[in-house]
Amino acid sequence: LPLGKAPSSFFLSSQAKMSRPVQAQRLEGVDKNLWVEYVKLAATYAKVNLGQGFPDFPPPDFLKEAFTRVVRGEDHTVHQYTRAFGHPPLVKMLAQLYGKLLGQDLDPMSNVMVTVGAYQALFCCIQAFVDKGDEVVIIEPFFDCYEPMVRMAGGTPVFIPLRPKAPKDGKLMSSADWQLDPAELASKFSERTKALVLNSPNNPLGKVYSRAELELIADLCMKHDALCISDEVYEWLIYDGRENVRIATLPGMWDRTVTIGSAGKTFNVTGWKVGWTVGPNQLLQHVRTMHQNSVYHCATPTQEVVAQGFQRELEHYGKPDSYFIQLPRELQQKRDQLIQSLVAVGMKPVVPEGTYFLVADISEFKSEVPDVPNSDKPYDSRFANWMLKNKGLAAIPLSTFYCEAHKNNYSNFIRFCFAKEDATLKAAEDILQKWKLEKAGP
Ligand code: PMP
């Protein structure tokens, strides 16, 4: 029947309706995302938002200036498609920088690939390596997309929590006090293990894995012939002069590791969504196949600007005016400011060694927040909701970063982001102070 002649009832008939399942099986169980709910709630109730991880201060001037130069300049090619696996100036800069950091002679064309943020790098790597029946070890607490990404690839995530150890002498806990149990970690590996996802510095704890911890992981990866997907997006945000060891530099690990980074975190431009993955060609060739058959290539102008940003950083490498030195220095002050505010009201922050997040123990506040009997939500989630609606302060429950089976074991902490203007942190402090006074009563 020609379209124009079809009676309208034809389209309403049962034949016109889909009766078969629309959703592909791989989406089963991964269709809910807590962030969607939090972002919406925070937009409605937050006076101060320390929930989602993004800075509310501007990126460095040299990057904003480069952006203007690039988009206004004479070279119109920056507005067109570029090379699929990464804009040549950017992959060249990344190869230079990571060549230095990883102690490898890197070929920009085969050892580096640019992605739509680190998020797409994770997706491409997991899709490229994980098959049905493969197991992937994920250390908890974890950046929440790892689990659905592994499941969508047909793999089975195998979770192992970092175990917190109480600090001595009434000191504040440090993210270093959250450790892997070596025997427990070894028990998670088998011949089915295809990969381990590592995140150091870790979101949400701020843990920076020590060399000894990484050696433990590396030994198990080698023993079981597993890959390491190393998410290092917070690589420059490390405090108190702590060493950042990259797992790809450990003996035997280069050949089985893909290292993932993000301009969003490196230059405070989370909205640009420029990320990358670095590794040996025998691994990256498969990641390129995924990229080619999904996104194909990323926005050219932002890649050009990030390339210029790295060029500037390479020229200032190790010098006091390097952004890689200035940013963590500024953030360390903000970290300490937030720690003080939290301690003052009786929350117990876990001092992070890296990232721009910290988690705080809210046990002391339990009596404060009315509990909801028989709720299917972990306590920290109810607490964060209550705090947002009643105090206007947004934070993220730590249980969000655990698998379903472990959520209730780690539900006494909430995560704050301290990559915020001093005024924002002061506003948070004011809310907490007022709350403390109310708590104390008249
Ligand atoms: N990995 C971790 C650990 C993160 O925290 C984030 C962002 N919050 C990403 C990856 C994603 O980075 P991007 O914004 O570059 O996609």
Side-chain angles (χ1 to χ4, degrees):
L1 200 62
L3 203 57
K5 301 251 169 77
S8 57
S9 60
F10 175 84
F11 294 107
L12 298 173
S13 76
S14 59
Q15 274 183 338
K17 276 200 195 138
M18 293 289 297
S19 57
R20 61 162 76 192
V22 179
Q23 174 191 317
Q25 273 181 17
R26 79 181 71 87
L27 300 192
E28 266 168 34
V30 298
D31 45 358
K32 289 205 181 52
N33 184 309
L34 283 169
W35 292 97
V36 177
E37 186 193 337
Y38 286 129
V39 169
K40 213 165 101 190
L41 275 179
T44 314
Y45 295 103
K47 293 190 194 105
V48 180
N49 189 350
L50 303 188
Q52 249 189 313
F54 62 86
D56 68 350
F57 47 83
D61 284 344
F62 65 82
L63 205 71
K64 288 198 293 183
E65 282 154 19
F67 193 100
T68 317
R69 251 194 338 266
V70 164
V71 294
R72 297 184 69 132
E74 292 296 307
D75 180 6
H76 302 308
T77 63
V78 296
H79 299 287
Q80 306 306 328
Y81 292 135
T82 183
R83 178 177 165 269
F85 307 119
H87 187 49
L90 178 55
V91 286
K92 275 182 204 147
M93 285 299 139
L94 289 168
Q96 258 188 52
L97 177 66
Y98 283 89
K100 235 192 233 277
L101 299 173
L102 300 177
Q104 297 285 337
D105 188 12
L106 298 184
D107 169 26
M109 301 300 152
S110 60
N111 295 129
V112 181
M113 192 188 87
V114 177
T115 53
V116 184
Y119 218 99
Q120 194 224 343
L122 286 161
F123 183 77
C124 284
C125 290
I126 291 171
Q127 284 286 326
F129 303 137
V130 178
D131 259 329
K132 210 169 170 171
D134 287 343
E135 291 185 355
V136 177
V137 179
I138 297 178
I139 304 169
E140 294 173 307
F142 60 93
F143 182 51
D144 59 302
C145 69
Y146 303 160
E147 179 180 358
M149 283 185 185
V150 167
R151 291 196 191 282
M152 280 193 288
T156 306
V158 175
F159 299 100
I160 168 156
L162 287 160
R163 305 262 177 207
K165 291 197 172 62
K168 288 181 214 110
D169 323 324
K171 279 205 321 213
L172 283 180
M173 196 184 252
S174 151
S175 54
D177 294 322
W178 292 60
Q179 290 171 10
L180 289 165
D181 175 325
E184 191 182 10
L185 180 63
S187 76
K188 302 292 173 183
F189 278 78
S190 72
E191 71 280 2
R192 292 182 301 278
T193 310
K194 185 67 183 283
L196 173 139
V197 185
L198 176 69
N199 176 211
S200 180
N202 164 271
N203 171 13
L205 282 180
K207 179 181 174 64
V208 179
Y209 285 68
S210 68
R211 184 176 292 277
E213 288 172 314
L214 294 176
E215 280 168 356
L216 179 76
I217 294 170
D219 286 350
L220 285 165
C221 286
M222 285 186 282
K223 183 170 168 206
H224 294 275
D225 200 20
L227 297 165
C228 180
I229 299 171
S230 186
D231 177 347
E232 301 183 17
V233 297
Y234 299 102
E235 61 197 314
W236 300 108
L237 308 184
I238 297 192
Y239 310 120
D240 306 314
R242 217 181 168 313
E243 181 194 21
N244 183 24
V245 182
R246 294 159 194 276
I247 197 162
T249 64
L250 298 187
M253 286 307 284
W254 165 252
D255 283 334
R256 55 180 70 247
T257 303
V258 283
T259 300
I260 292 173
S262 164
K265 317 293 170 181
T266 302
F267 291 117
N268 270 332
V269 286
T270 58
W272 291 13
K273 292 295 286 183
V274 176
W276 51 84
T277 177
V278 178
N281 186 44
Q282 75 269 18
L283 299 186
L284 279 206
Q285 62 180 332
H286 306 298
V287 185
R288 288 198 294 272
T289 306
M290 257 320 293
H291 184 71
Q292 176 173 294
N293 293 311
S294 51
V295 164
Y296 193 67
H297 100 69
C298 310
T300 315
T302 40
Q303 289 193 69
E304 173 62 34
V305 182
V306 172
Q308 295 191 14
F310 275 122
Q311 184 167 8
R312 189 259 181 207
E313 277 307 299
L314 278 163
E315 286 159 10
H316 292 75
Y317 195 78
K319 297 188 186 146
D321 59 348
S322 157
Y323 194 62
F324 297 165
I325 291 179
Q326 280 180 349
L327 180 62
R329 193 180 297 147
E330 261 174 51
L331 284 170
Q332 186 169 321
Q333 283 170 6
K334 293 179 186 296
R335 174 194 72 167
D336 295 343
Q337 188 182 339
L338 181 61
I339 287 175
Q340 266 186 11
S341 314
L342 293 170
V343 169
V345 295
M347 286 195 193
K348 292 201 197 89
V350 177
V351 180
E353 303 153 280
T355 75
Y356 43 52
F357 300 111
L358 62 78
V359 301
D361 188 335
I362 49 169
S363 308
E364 303 274 315
F365 278 69
K366 271 196 165 161
S367 58
E368 192 67 12
V369 176
D371 211 347
V372 187
N374 308 321
S375 164
D376 58 349
K377 285 191 171 155
Y379 178 75
D380 58 351
S381 179
R382 303 199 291 274
F383 182 95
N385 270 355
W386 185 91
M387 187 171 80
L388 176 59
K389 288 186 180 159
N390 293 277
K391 304 292 169 191
L393 181 60
I396 305 291
L398 182 64
S399 59
T400 311
F401 303 90
Y402 285 82
C403 72
E404 203 53 46
H406 294 165
K407 278 188 195 304
N408 280 312
N409 301 348
Y410 295 90
S411 60
N412 278 336
F413 293 87
I414 51 175
R415 189 198 76 174
F416 294 97
C417 171
F418 55 83
K420 303 291 171 187
E421 294 275 16
D422 290 347
T424 312
L425 294 174
K426 178 74 180 66
E429 185 183 328
D430 291 347
I431 291 178
L432 291 166
Q433 281 295 347
K434 197 162 157 240
W435 188 0
K436 185 187 167 194
L437 291 175
E438 286 162 8
K439 210 161 140 281

